[in-house]
């Protein structure tokens, strides 16, 4: 039923019962709402109903980089509201530069930038560079005009003070000690205004007790034990690239209320000390993502592995983390026929020990290692990023992987593709189907015979506001590689939209989304690469571009900002990382999860949930499943669309836009 036009009733309910002032308790019973909030049945003035005019077809984007006064170079991007003003700021890092920052040089050449989203005084938004003033590049031993070496950053509230702190990730190469400045990954605490202070040195974050160089390639935040303190999972690339098949062991770090972390990898079951070729081996991780894949309320871990080695899915269980990559089907696509691998064909031609068609490449002495390259553990994908979200609308989180796939490696190498969640098997493991890109419409265009699919970055986001997730795939580093946008159609398949929709960006190694102008739709920020053939696309360097979504908010939408009650109150972490929101609006049931850090080198979307509602002008219900020990749920009914809301755990749903 509809409530009276002048009021919106915001209540805590036991799901399915409609009982005001109750919440779901751990044993499935009910507990008084005052346990969360001191009694939070709330009545606030209802704002007028709104209904968007509607928009069908592809969203239209506009390159507004110049309008934002943005003129920086970089290959990795993240967005986060660093000063708490409600507008996401932009954080940029360059690729392939491990030097310390020289802040006396031209700012455009700096290896990273902290760019604040500010009003110029006329209502126009622009990015203001506060890299130096923010102290993001702080050194343990200060050097005038110099900043620490850093390659990516992800953000969340680590010390329970209500603002977003940072993991600043530093990739260092043990094979190049002469160029290693000695900097390592660090935790930086925010004062609330976007000014950072180095936390005390932590061996767990920096890498190892002996402070050795380590190939930090990714990070993601989660609260794996629901204690209200955020934890950190870090992924590492090769131990020695080109000289070993080993990766540095990925590590799970348990956080406390101060922003300090301790290594709990082995006690929690994340043991990767096995030999190469075994399921328990460390492999070169290029991306990590945290997501509740089995729907039990806690975060699981996804590892995107390079070198065609198996991906890992670490399921969070009562007994610790268990790798179910094989059982779930996430590890690889199971295409094992390597007969069209040109290196294999060369091996057969030059040795005569096997029979294969004539190779289509010039054969050298290397390229195929018999007994290794023909093994299942080396017939997967060159995986970079995995995005996790409910794509099919059934409430189950699906996965989309970004993979580099070369023509000369053949069909055994995995392509970027959608993995559809089929639910839990008899052992409680989520299983994934791979319908294939031809069936889903997610095929990557091949130009010529010697094609390269350069899938590095991926994102799942509803860009047209119709209530269905779309796919962004950042291809880079090879000829004809660019950002690809696939819009989901009503029948669940996808269509690749032409670059005429405004997202025209060559060589895109990193992509994130956020509502930069707070108008109710998702804008897109894309980085660039100048590696290999991409230097021709960006002759002035790897530019960062902002693409404004000009039509997404012509469909109905809502925006939800979540704040957990924190560990001291027995609630969820302050950033609500891991919270699951289920929205019912007309014919739409939409499930979203709050995530911080995704894929390769820490891409991060806006933490606020910007949700398209299609033609639904009123939200029938919003359920917020908090990531706390009690599994508490808040439910709200009859909420008007086309407004922004803020929700502090246990409190009322308050208007913010």
């Amino acid at each position: 039923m509809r409530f009276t036009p002048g009021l919106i009733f915001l209540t805590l309910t036991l799901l399915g019962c409609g009982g005001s002032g109750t919440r779901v308790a751990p044993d499935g019973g009910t507990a008084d709402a005052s346990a969360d909030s001191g009694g939070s049945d709330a009545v606030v003035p209802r704002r007028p109903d709104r209904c968007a005019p509607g928009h069908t077809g592809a969203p239209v984007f506009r390159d507004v980089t110049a309008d934002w006064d943005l003129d920086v170079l970089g290959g990795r991007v993240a967005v986060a509201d660093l000063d708490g003003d409600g507008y996401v700021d932009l954080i940029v890092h360059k690729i392939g530069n491990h030097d310390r920052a020289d802040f006396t040089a031209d700012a455009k050449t700096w290896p990273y930038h902290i760019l604040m989203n500010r009003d110029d005084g006329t209502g126009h938004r622009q990015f203001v560079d506060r890299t130096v003033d923010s102290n993001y590049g702080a050194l343990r031993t200060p050097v005038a005009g110099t900043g620490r070496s850093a390659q990516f950053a992800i953000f969340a509230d680590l010390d329970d003070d209500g603002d977003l702190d940072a993991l600043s990730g530093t990739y260092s190469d043990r094979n190049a000690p002469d160029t290693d400045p000695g900097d390592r990954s660090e935790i930086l605490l925010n004062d609330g205004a976007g000014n950072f202070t180095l936390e005390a040195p932590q061996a767990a974050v920096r890498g190892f007790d002996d402070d050795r160089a380590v190939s930090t390639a990714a990070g993601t935040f989660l609260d794996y034990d629901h204690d209200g303190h955020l934890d950190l999972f870090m992924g590492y690339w090769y131990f020695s690239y080109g000289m070993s098949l080993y990766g540095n062991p990925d590590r799970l770090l348990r956080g406390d209320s101060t922003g300090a972390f301790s290594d709990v990898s082995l006690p929690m079951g994340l043991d990767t000390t096995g030999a190469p070729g075994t399921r328990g081996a460390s492999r070169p991780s290029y991306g990590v993502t945290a997501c509740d894949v089995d729907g039990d309320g806690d975060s699981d871990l996804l590892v995107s592995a390079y070198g065609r080695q198996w991906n890992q899915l670490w399921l969070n269980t009562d007994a610790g983390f268990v790798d179910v990559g094989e059982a779930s089907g996430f590890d690889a696509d199971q295409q094992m026929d390597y007969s069209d691998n040109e290196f294999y064909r060369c091996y057969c031609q030059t040795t005569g020990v096997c029979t294969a068609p004539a190779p289509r490449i010039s054969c050298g002495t290397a390229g195929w290692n018999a007994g290794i390259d023909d093994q299942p553990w080396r017939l997967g994908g060159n995986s970079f990023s995995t995005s996790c979200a409910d794509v099919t609308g059934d409430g189950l989180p699906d996965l989309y992987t970004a993979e580099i796939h070369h023509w000369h490696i053949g069909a055994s190498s995995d392509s970027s593709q959608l993995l559809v969640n089929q639910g839990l098997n008899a052992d409680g493991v989520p299983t994934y189907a791979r319908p294939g890109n031809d069936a889903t419409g997610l095929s990557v265009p091949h130009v010529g015979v010697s094609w390269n699919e350069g899938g590095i970055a991926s994102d799942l986001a509803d860009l047209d506001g119709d209530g269905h997730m779309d796919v962004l795939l950042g291809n880079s580093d090879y000829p004809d590689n660019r950002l690809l946008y696939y819009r989901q159609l009503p029948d669940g398949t996808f269509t690749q939209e032409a670059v005429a929709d405004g997202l025209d960006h060559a060589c895109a190694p990193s992509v994130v989304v956020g509502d930069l102008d707070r108008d109710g739709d998702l804008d897109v920020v894309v980085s660039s690469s100048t590696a290999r053939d991409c230097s021709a696309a960006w002759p002035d360097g790897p530019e960062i571009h902002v693409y404004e979504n000009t039509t997404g908010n012509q469909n109905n939408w809502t925006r939800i900002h979540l704040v957990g009650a924190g560990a001291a109150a027995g609630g969820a972490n302050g950033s609500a990382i891991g919270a699951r929101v289920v929205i019912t609006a007309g014919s739409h049931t939409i499930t979203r999860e709050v995530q911080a850090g995704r894929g390769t080198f820490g891409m991060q979307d806006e933490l606020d949930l910007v949700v398209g509602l299609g033609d639904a002008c009123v939200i029938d219900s919003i359920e917020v499943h908090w990531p706390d020990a009690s599994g508490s749920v808040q439910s709200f009914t009859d909420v008007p669309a086309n407004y922004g809301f803020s929700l502090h755990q246990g409190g009322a749903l308050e208007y913010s836009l």
Side-chain angles (χ1 to χ4, degrees):
M1 73 179 212
R2 292 291 301 274
F3 289 119
T4 55
L7 297 176
I8 176 172
F9 286 74
L10 309 172
T11 62
L12 291 167
T13 66
L14 175 64
L15 297 182
C17 297
S20 176
T22 61
R23 64 179 174 86
V24 175
D27 60 0
T30 64
D32 190 86
S34 60
D36 281 336
S37 62
S40 65
D41 289 0
V43 179
V44 298
R46 181 188 179 102
R47 294 185 181 176
D49 284 358
R50 294 173 172 175
C51 200
H55 183 270
T56 58
V60 177
F61 288 86
R62 184 170 66 98
D63 190 335
V64 293
T65 307
D67 295 348
W68 282 84
D69 199 24
L70 179 62
D71 186 22
V72 299
L73 304 178
R76 295 162 184 143
V77 288
V79 290
D81 182 5
L82 301 181
D83 57 0
D85 66 352
Y87 288 89
V88 288
D89 309 300
L90 176 61
I91 303 90
V92 174
H93 291 77
K94 293 178 79 172
I95 293 176
N97 188 331
H98 300 160
D99 297 334
R100 287 180 169 176
D102 179 4
F103 292 137
T104 67
D106 180 1
K108 192 170 182 177
T109 69
W110 294 351
Y112 44 78
H113 292 269
I114 304 296
L115 304 165
M116 306 302 291
N117 183 342
R118 296 282 171 80
D119 190 322
D120 67 358
T122 68
H124 172 70
R125 308 300 300 186
Q126 63 181 13
F127 285 119
V128 176
D129 197 320
R130 289 199 69 252
T131 308
V132 176
D133 292 342
S134 72
N135 203 40
Y136 172 77
L139 285 162
R140 291 280 167 202
T141 303
V143 178
T146 304
R148 190 182 63 259
S149 175
Q151 281 69 53
F152 73 94
I154 58 174
F155 301 88
D157 184 3
L158 304 180
D159 56 1
D160 291 335
D161 66 350
D163 53 44
L164 298 183
D165 310 300
L167 163 71
S168 178
T170 298
Y171 180 106
S172 50
D173 186 355
R174 68 184 300 272
N175 300 309
D178 294 341
T179 59
D180 177 15
D183 299 328
R184 302 293 181 260
S185 299
E186 300 277 8
I187 297 296
L188 294 96
L189 300 182
N190 189 349
D191 68 355
N195 304 309
F196 293 97
T197 302
L198 280 173
E199 172 65 297
Q202 302 182 49
V205 175
R206 292 171 66 85
F208 298 92
D209 290 335
D210 60 6
D211 224 22
R212 77 186 73 164
V214 60
S215 53
T216 311
T220 187
F221 288 118
L222 69 157
D223 182 5
Y224 76 87
D225 54 2
H226 286 166
D227 65 354
H229 304 309
L230 281 172
D231 312 304
L232 172 61
F233 185 61
M234 298 183 71
Y236 304 93
W237 206 44
Y238 282 106
F239 180 75
S240 180
Y241 179 60
M243 293 177 277
S244 171
L245 295 170
Y246 280 105
N248 283 290
D250 301 331
R251 294 179 308 122
L252 177 65
L253 311 180
R254 188 171 188 265
D256 66 13
S257 61
T258 68
F261 292 87
S262 57
D263 190 340
V264 295
S265 306
L266 293 180
M268 291 305 301
L270 286 101
D271 184 355
T272 55
T273 57
T278 66
R279 290 283 173 180
S282 295
R283 68 279 322 264
S285 302
Y286 240 153
V288 297
T289 301
C291 178
D292 181 9
V293 297
D294 58 355
D296 64 353
D298 54 36
S299 294
D300 310 295
L301 295 169
L302 300 154
V303 177
S304 305
Y306 187 74
R308 304 192 63 205
Q309 297 195 39
W310 286 317
N311 296 328
Q312 292 172 303
L313 196 169
W314 292 100
L315 203 64
N316 190 350
T317 74
D318 293 339
F321 285 87
V322 179
D323 181 12
V324 297
E326 181 179 19
S328 66
F330 173 63
D331 59 345
D333 68 5
Q334 308 310 314
Q335 167 57 270
M336 302 294 179
D337 182 3
Y338 50 82
S339 62
D340 59 350
N341 185 306
E342 299 301 324
F343 292 131
Y344 171 71
R345 292 179 175 184
C346 282
Y347 172 76
C348 293
Q349 183 183 74
T350 57
T351 66
V353 301
C354 50
T355 301
R360 295 173 291 174
I361 62 173
S362 298
C363 297
T365 59
W368 185 261
N369 297 302
I372 294 177
D373 293 340
D374 51 7
Q375 298 302 301
W377 64 278
R378 284 276 284 170
L379 295 171
N382 289 304
S383 306
F384 279 74
S385 299
T386 300
S387 296
C388 176
D390 178 17
V391 174
T392 60
D394 60 0
L396 302 175
D398 309 298
L399 308 175
Y400 184 82
T401 60
E403 314 260 7
I404 284 184
H405 181 184
H406 303 296
W407 75 276
H408 56 272
I409 301 301
S412 65
S413 187
D414 296 3
S415 287
S416 303
Q417 60 188 296
L418 178 68
L419 284 68
V420 179
N421 195 324
Q422 302 294 291
L424 305 182
N425 65 16
D427 296 322
V429 174
T431 57
Y432 292 94
R434 296 174 181 256
N437 289 335
D438 289 341
T440 60
L442 291 168
S443 294
V444 178
H446 292 170
V447 179
V449 175
S450 56
W451 50 264
N452 298 278
E453 299 177 6
I456 294 178
S458 67
D459 207 350
L460 297 171
D462 180 7
L463 297 182
D464 55 1
D466 66 352
H468 304 294
M469 281 295 199
D470 306 316
V471 173
L472 286 167
L473 176 62
N475 291 283
S476 189
D477 291 13
Y478 301 98
D480 304 301
N481 275 211
R482 61 189 325 102
L483 178 69
L484 300 178
Y485 167 47
Y486 301 90
R487 181 169 59 91
Q488 187 173 173
L489 302 175
D491 64 1
T493 63
F494 294 82
T495 181
Q496 182 198 331
E497 298 295 348
V499 295
D501 63 10
L503 285 177
D504 186 1
H505 197 99
C507 299
S510 185
V511 57
V512 296
V513 300
D515 188 2
L516 271 64
D517 47 10
R518 286 172 64 89
D519 67 350
D521 54 29
L522 291 170
D523 309 302
V524 181
V525 182
V526 190
S527 70
S528 307
S529 171
T530 54
R532 299 185 180 91
D533 303 271
C534 289
S535 58
W538 302 104
D540 296 326
E543 300 174 9
I544 305 295
H545 280 240
V546 176
Y547 297 93
E548 179 190 1
N549 192 337
T550 66
T551 58
N553 62 3
Q554 292 180 18
N555 287 319
N556 297 289
W557 57 271
T558 191
R559 178 191 182 99
I560 302 174
H561 173 71
L562 297 177
V563 181
N573 67 87
S575 295
I577 306 302
R580 182 166 55 93
V581 177
V582 182
I583 294 175
T584 302
S587 61
H588 302 284
T589 299
I590 302 164
T591 304
R592 299 285 186 267
E593 182 178 323
V594 181
Q595 300 172 359
R598 174 192 78 253
T600 188
F601 286 92
M603 293 174 288
Q604 182 163 326
D605 293 337
E606 181 173 5
L607 291 179
D608 286 5
L609 299 175
V610 180
V611 181
L613 304 172
D615 58 1
C617 303
V618 174
I619 302 169
D620 300 311
S621 67
I622 300 175
E623 295 172 5
V624 180
H625 299 249
W626 294 98
D628 59 14
S630 66
S632 58
V633 179
Q634 284 183 263
S635 180
F636 309 96
T637 57
D638 192 43
V639 179
N642 304 304
Y643 289 101
F645 297 96
S646 179
L647 175 63
H648 288 67
Q649 186 177 6
L653 193 65
E654 300 177 350
Y655 290 94
S656 61
L657 279 176

